[in-house]
Structure formats: C-alpha cells, structure tokens
C-alpha cells in the first residue's frame, strides 16, 4: 500500500441498494460490474477512482440509450 494512501479520503461505495444486474453483469443501480462490486473493499484508492469513472461512463451510455 502506498504511504500516501493513508492520507487519502475514504471513497464510499457507490451502491444505492437498487441492485439488479443486466445481461452483461452490470448493476443498474450503481453501474459497477459484478467483479468491481466484489473487489471494492480490497481495491486501492486509485482503483476505486477508476471504477467510479467507469461507472459514470456506463451511466452516461445507459441514459443516452434510454432518453
């Protein structure tokens, strides 16, 4: 674990308790993949930031598709 990770603010899980996986195993509540969900607790700060960025892109694509 990098020394500066202890000083980083805690990144909370994006889970909104509306779990429903689509055909690609993406949660339609938080837009994480099943692997990202299972790995969240052991992910580094940087990995969590990457997951959140991926979630935002997935949500954008989803919203564009259904708007």
């Amino acid at each position: 674990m990098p020394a500066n990770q202890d000083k980083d603010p805690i990144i909370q899980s994006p889970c909104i308790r509306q779990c429903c996986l689509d055909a690609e195993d993406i949660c339609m509540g938080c837009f994480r993949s099943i692997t990202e969900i299972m790995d969240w607790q052991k992910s580094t700060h940087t990995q969590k930031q990457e997951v959140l960025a991926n979630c935002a892109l997935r949500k954008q694509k989803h919203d564009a598709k259904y708007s």
Side-chain angles (χ1 to χ4, degrees):
M1 173 182 329
N4 67 346
Q5 185 170 353
D6 291 335
K7 297 178 185 175
D8 289 332
I10 294 173
I11 298 178
Q12 296 295 322
S13 167
C15 181
I16 60 170
R17 306 289 189 254
Q18 293 182 3
C19 306
C20 180
L21 299 178
D22 68 7
E24 297 174 0
D25 284 339
I26 302 295
C27 176
M28 300 313 301
C30 67
F31 293 93
R32 288 183 291 170
S33 70
I34 189 68
T35 303
E36 292 167 339
I37 292 168
M38 292 185 331
D39 291 347
W40 184 260
Q41 292 301 319
K42 64 182 177 183
S43 296
T44 66
H45 191 275
T46 301
Q47 289 169 325
K48 288 178 180 180
Q49 288 176 318
E50 291 172 8
V51 167
L52 293 177
N54 289 335
C55 291
L57 289 174
R58 290 182 193 122
K59 183 174 181 354
Q60 242 179 355
K61 288 179 184 177
H62 175 270
D63 291 350
K65 185 176 179 180
Y66 294 103
S67 318

